[in-house]
Structure formats: C-alpha cells, structure tokens
Amino acid sequence: MPSIRRPIVASQFYEGNAEALQAQLTSCFLHKLGPQNLPTINKTNHPRKIAGLICPHAGYMYSGPVAASAFYQLAQDGKPDTIILLGPNHTGYGSALSIMRQGLWQTPLGNIEIDTTTADALLNKTTTLDIDELAHRFEHSLEVQLPFLQFLYGNTFKIVPICFQSQDYTTALEIGHALTKTIDTTNTLVIASSDMTHYEPAKTATAKDQAALKKVTALDAKGFYDIIETQNITACGFMPITSLITYAADICATAEQLSYHNSGDITGDPSNVVGYAAVSFKKQN
C-alpha cells in the first residue's frame, strides 16, 4: 500500500472539507483581486504553452485570489500530466534539498499520485537531491497548491514534490538545469511556490517585490538571486524561483507577471504586509 502524505494545513490555510473547500476556491476565482471568472479547461488538441508558474502559498483568505490568477491562465492552456512542485522549507526538518519519489499526497479533495518515473529521472541528473519524506511532512508551501490544481483537473495529474532548505545559488542552478534535461516540455508544468516580502509597509514591500519581479520577467536568475540578497527581500521561495527562471531561460520561454497584491489589500491595513505574486512562463514554440 502506498504511503500517504496527509494534509497539515487543511482547516487552517484552506477549508478542511471538500464542499467548503470547493466553495472557497470558487470565491478565490471570483474575487475582485482575482480573475473574477471561473476557469474553463481548454480541451482542444493544441500544444500547451505554459511551462511554469510562480504562485503564493499563504492562507487562501490572503493569497488565494492572486494564486487563482495563475491557475485561471493555466486552465486556459489545457491540462498538464505531471506537475513538479518547488517550494521552500519553512520547518527546518529534513535535508537541504528533499524530494519524495513515491506515494500519495492527500487533500480534502482526494489523493494525488507522485510521478516516480520523473522523480527518478531528476535524481539521476543531480548530485544534491535527497530522497527525504520528513522535509515534506509538516511543510505547507507545496500542499496549498494542490486544491487549486484539483479544482481544475480532479486527481488526474501526478506531482513531483521538491523542498528547498538550501540557499546556495549553485544548487538552484543545478536543479534548474536538471529540470531542462529531464522534463518532457510537452505536458509537464513546474510551479515555484513563494510569497514575496514579509512584514513591511505596503509601499516598501511593493517597491522591493517589483524590483525582484522585474528580474524574474527578464529571466535573469543571477540578477534575481542577487537582488534578493542585496535588498534583503524576504521572499521565502527565492530558491525555487531561481531554479524555475533557470529552467525557463534554458527552454527559451518568456515570463509575464499576472498579478501582484499584498495582505493589506485584504485586511485594509498597509502598515505590515506580505506580498503575493503570480507569474507565468510560456514556451515560444
């Protein structure tokens, strides 16, 4: 029987039962800070263009509408078969760079299977990835992406979860290039899970985040990594983003900022916010 990674932020970051969660996801798509429409899956037999997304991972009350902007565009692009999830390690558990290669991930909307074949292919192209379930057991950054994906596709896709504790640029590059060597770009998606600046006034948070996002849309991995360091931008998933930029540049994708808001836009208090961004990366052929 496969091992099951059970949800740890259901009833906290998002609703804990299927009916309430479906309603919450619907409200994220219809929200005034989101796409304001429900997604429709493009089922035409056309080549998918979206190779990657940056999505936030806060509670849906705060970041859900921004995340919905990314998933709305994904739905219009069609359905990927495998989704590689890159997220930061907030807990400190596990190894510096951790992958799960088998088993199921559970949410209130059902179970999602890990793509063992793709996980093993990635392991064969890197020297830094460890097989380690502990890093994922209590980490929320990848989990909160799954209900949005299930809202679109049910449980008909597979995932490869990778959790970053390392903050080394060379490691981020290695993972990005390993994605390039491994992925069948026809029907695989990479999601980098990250919130942006944490706990600063909205004005300074927005300025910092837009400077960083400018490097993202320019596909400048080193420039992005450096501005995070030099301007002390507290984007928790900057390593996953750096890997995704590297991969996107390798495959000659283009990047587009889809949405940017902060928690103050929800609470009405701009004095101490967290920034949230949605970015898509599209193949050109």
Side-chain angles (χ1 to χ4, degrees), residues 196 207-216 224 227-228 233:
M196 299 301 290
K208 285 184 173 184
D209 289 345
Q210 291 300 335
L213 290 166
K214 188 174 182 180
K215 299 296 185 183
V216 172
F224 173 76
I227 203 170
I228 292 290
I233 299 172

Side-chain angles (χ1 to χ4, degrees), residues 19-20 36 63 76 91 117 121 127 150 182 209 222 236 250 266:
E19 184 178 358
Q36 300 182 51
S63 68
Q76 294 178 320
T91 68
T117 300
T127 60
Q150 291 170 301
T182 301
D209 289 345
K222 187 63 165 63
C236 49
D250 282 348
I266 299 292

Side-chain angles (χ1 to χ4, degrees), residues 58-252:
Y60 287 1
M61 172 185 175
Y62 299 105
S63 68
V66 173
S69 297
F71 291 110
Y72 183 81
Q73 188 175 102
L74 180 64
Q76 294 178 320
D77 193 52
K79 176 189 167 293
D81 293 326
T82 295
I83 300 167
I84 298 174
L85 301 168
L86 312 178
N89 184 330
H90 293 85
T91 68
Y93 290 111
S95 67
L97 196 62
S98 308
I99 190 171
M100 286 183 64
R101 62 171 298 276
Q102 62 183 354
L104 303 171
W105 278 48
Q106 183 182 84
T107 82
L109 300 181
N111 294 336
I112 303 165
E113 184 181 351
I114 291 175
D115 184 342
T116 299
T117 300
T118 300
D120 286 345
L122 277 167
L123 281 162
N124 287 333
K125 295 297 183 183
T126 69
T127 60
T128 52
L129 267 177
D130 294 323
I131 301 169
D132 182 2
E133 295 189 7
L134 179 60
H136 296 271
R137 191 175 303 167
F138 306 107
E139 175 54 50
H140 68 273
S141 63
L142 304 184
E143 177 184 326
V144 297
Q145 310 302 326
L146 299 181
F148 274 102
L149 292 164
Q150 291 170 301
F151 187 82
L152 300 183
Y153 307 123
N155 299 317
T156 63
F157 60 95
K158 295 182 180 182
I159 62 169
V160 178
I162 299 175
C163 191
F164 289 70
Q165 192 170 169
S166 167
Q167 297 187 359
D168 174 64
Y169 178 68
T170 302
T171 299
L173 284 186
E174 180 180 332
I175 297 302
H177 292 316
L179 294 171
T180 307
K181 296 170 185 175
T182 301
I183 287 178
D184 172 5
T185 59
T186 306
N187 229 13
T188 303
L189 173 76
V190 180
I191 295 179
S193 174
S194 183
D195 296 335
M196 299 301 290
T197 292
H198 289 62
Y199 311 127
E200 294 189 26
K203 185 175 180 179
T204 58
T206 299
K208 285 184 173 184
D209 289 345
Q210 291 300 335
L213 290 166
K214 188 174 182 180
K215 299 296 185 183
V216 172
T217 55
L219 298 184
D220 182 356
K222 187 63 165 63
F224 173 76
Y225 185 90
D226 287 346
I227 203 170
I228 292 290
E229 297 265 303
T230 59
Q231 294 198 23
N232 191 29
I233 299 172
T234 52
C236 49
F238 72 97
M239 285 285 287
I241 292 174
T242 303
S243 292
L244 176 52
I245 296 170
T246 302
Y247 165 64
D250 282 348
I251 64 170
C252 300

Side-chain angles (χ1 to χ4, degrees), residues 261-280:
H261 291 287
N262 62 66
S263 56
D265 294 327
I266 299 292
T267 66
D269 179 5
S271 64
N272 195 33
V273 306
V274 179
Y276 311 118
V279 179
S280 70

